[in-house]
Amino acid sequence: MSELVPITVARGDGIGPEIMEATLRVLQAAGARIAPEFIDIGEQQYLAGHSSGIAPEAWESLRRTRVFLKAPITTPQGGGFKSLNVTIRKTLGLYANVRPCVSYAPFVRTLHPKMNLVIVRENEEDLYAGIEHRQTDEVFQCLKLITRPGCEKIVRYAFDYARRHGRRKVTCMTKDNIMKMTDGLFHRVFDEVAREYPEIETEHLIIDIGAARLATRPERFDVIVTPNLYGDILSDIAAELTGSVGLAPSANIGDHVAMFESIHGSAPDIAGKGIANPSGLLLAAVLMLVHIGQPAVAETIHNAWLRTIEDGVHTAELHGSLSIGRPFGSMDFADAVIERLGQRPQKLAAVHYGEVDRDAPVQVARVATVAPHRRAAAAKAMVGVDVFVHAAGVSADFLAGQLSALLTPPFALQMITNRGVKVWPGGFPETFCTDHWRCRFVAPQGQSVTHADIIGLLQGLTARGVDVIKTENLCTFDGERGYALGQGQ
Ligand code: NAD
């Protein structure tokens, strides 16, 4: 048990070094068995010419220790700088973003005193793949990618998290009434995986009503699992509802590496003053200790921290009627937590992370937590093609006439849509049309087509001046349609 676990630590920018020093002081006093290795990331690295804010040599430490405790960094203003967080998440495959959001009423003012939920956000896919294109004068596109392995990993992670932490319900939020294929897959995988966890209550909410209920009745939620974009938005709403974003930690978990940080930024307005609240980072370190198999130390620190908060020891931004004395500085706050190590809160609920776990330790962070189930390839048949065309100042009927004259076998023009609305055949004059048309070509009676057929079609179209932007093949998988029907069908 005495083995020290190497962890990579970044002090960050702005208030980062102050809150990291306070955090490490508490960890050391509590007997955390860690051996920090420091790397430089952030503003200086950006300005030194590393466009992602991280020097190449820092990756070596991250890939070796596989555990990253990170203070916030400053992203310089101006173009050409990439988000360090997005780079780290994608490069290291940190697929789960876990954010506990807890109220500490009455010590931290909030309208929702009973809130205690965890948002498990998918962290790599969805609209964050960064695949964007300008296609015409008027139309820009961002691809939303949802994969079955990605859904299985995040949903199973959420259920495993619920089971490990004694949580009773997992809520899935998607918009599958509109995005039937992408969000529909996420929902379907949720239903499939849920069957493996019969003791856990489940529900699915459409994201709009789900977000509304979260904002008005957060106490009805326990664990929420959701795709990337919804999770990004929901987790900020949830953190804000607790009364202070300054207290919220987050964990970014992958099969190989995990990163722990506060959710707030580098707060340049108060940097160097020694008044920043180190709580978000300290609670992130608590998540880290649980992750590396030191739950007893995590529990000791977390309960001492809760006791500190309810004793009225508050940094400036939390200072109020229940605070004692003057606002505490970052290091004085850390010392107050240290004084209370071994104590438990008397009014707030104490946490329990389990006994020192001889089965879990260190390797919890080192092995794949969830292996996606790889299925046999489906029988795939190509039955047509959607050809996207840039054409300004034309009507759908005119375009249909033009395309019909250029058809090559075996294709027939089945329909044209504009922004997803069917405008031919049988379009309405009221429908607003842009210069971006999706033209669906299929073979009669559902017969299959070949790539050569599609290339022949495209050659015919482009030779006569049709500006083809892109194509999407229409396929069936084991006989099941692998594409959406146009709206209005
Ligand atoms: P911010 O979170 O840094 O600050 C917002 C407000 O909250 C400020 O008034 C600040 O003083 C206060 N605040 C934040 N943390 C606090 C703490 N621990 N104690 C007391 N008060 C605290 O957000 P911002 O001002 O929008 O961003 C500043 C910089 O941080 C930007 O460069 C941004 O890109 C970066 N940022 C980094 C991360 C990260 O590294 N994960 C996250 C968000 C923002």
Side-chain angles (χ1 to χ4, degrees), residues 42-297:
E43 198 169 22
Q44 290 312 314
Q45 298 302 318
Y46 279 113
L47 299 177
H50 302 298
S51 65
S52 299
I54 179 165
E57 54 275 17
W59 291 106
E60 188 280 321
S61 173
L62 283 173
R63 294 177 67 202
R64 184 167 36 75
T65 69
R66 307 183 199 188
V67 183
F68 187 20
L69 182 62
K70 173 179 166 288
I73 59 144
T74 300
T75 311
Q77 297 288 317
F81 301 113
K82 288 192 267 180
S83 160
L84 175 67
N85 265 1
V86 174
T87 300
I88 290 178
R89 276 180 208 155
K90 286 192 179 173
T91 308
L92 299 177
L94 308 184
Y95 63 85
N97 189 318
V98 183
R99 190 182 284 185
C101 297
V102 183
S103 293
Y104 305 102
F107 308 102
V108 177
R109 272 190 300 275
T110 169
L111 291 174
H112 303 285
K114 293 208 160 55
M115 175 173 173
N116 182 348
L117 60 87
V118 179
I119 303 212
V120 178
R121 160 189 168 197
E122 199 289 319
N123 220 13
E124 295 182 290
E125 303 193 339
D126 198 355
L127 289 157
Y128 290 62
I131 307 175
E132 292 192 290
H133 297 94
R134 179 172 181 174
Q135 297 183 315
T136 69
D137 291 309
E138 295 177 342
V139 176
F140 296 71
Q141 170 187 273
C142 175
L143 277 188
K144 172 168 168 129
L145 293 181
I146 301 278
T147 72
R148 179 170 263 280
C151 294
E152 289 185 2
K153 282 167 74 164
I154 193 66
V155 169
R156 195 160 278 128
Y157 184 88
F159 277 101
D160 280 347
Y161 182 97
R163 186 176 270 175
R164 275 203 314 277
H165 291 83
R167 293 197 172 251
R168 67 203 150 70
K169 182 166 86 168
V170 180
T171 303
C172 174
M173 294 197 200
T174 70
K175 188 78 181 170
D176 68 339
N177 54 334
I178 302 296
M179 283 160 279
K180 297 186 166 80
M181 299 198 67
T182 47
D183 283 21
L185 174 64
F186 196 97
H187 186 175
R188 205 160 59 244
V189 168
F190 176 78
D191 289 343
E192 286 168 17
V193 173
R195 289 197 277 277
E196 297 169 30
Y197 299 82
E199 79 280 15
I200 295 174
E201 190 189 333
T202 61
E203 68 176 342
H204 174 269
L205 295 176
I206 300 293
I207 183 68
D208 33 8
I209 188 63
R213 297 235 170 101
L214 176 69
T216 50
R217 285 191 284 147
E219 62 284 349
R220 76 182 287 289
F221 295 101
D222 200 354
V223 174
I224 298 173
V225 64
T226 185
N228 203 341
L229 177 62
Y230 312 138
D232 193 359
I233 298 166
L234 283 189
S235 57
D236 264 32
I237 295 173
E240 188 80 14
L241 289 175
T242 65
S244 171
V245 279
L247 302 181
S250 82
N252 290 264
I253 309 283
D255 286 342
H256 310 286
V257 180
M259 174 172 86
F260 302 85
E261 61 178 347
S262 57
I263 68 161
H264 61 73
S266 58
D269 51 335
I270 56 168
K273 296 184 178 164
I275 59 171
N277 189 346
S279 298
L281 189 60
L282 183 63
L283 294 179
V286 166
L287 297 178
M288 177 191 77
L289 290 171
V290 175
H291 184 76
I292 62 173
Q294 300 184 22
V297 191

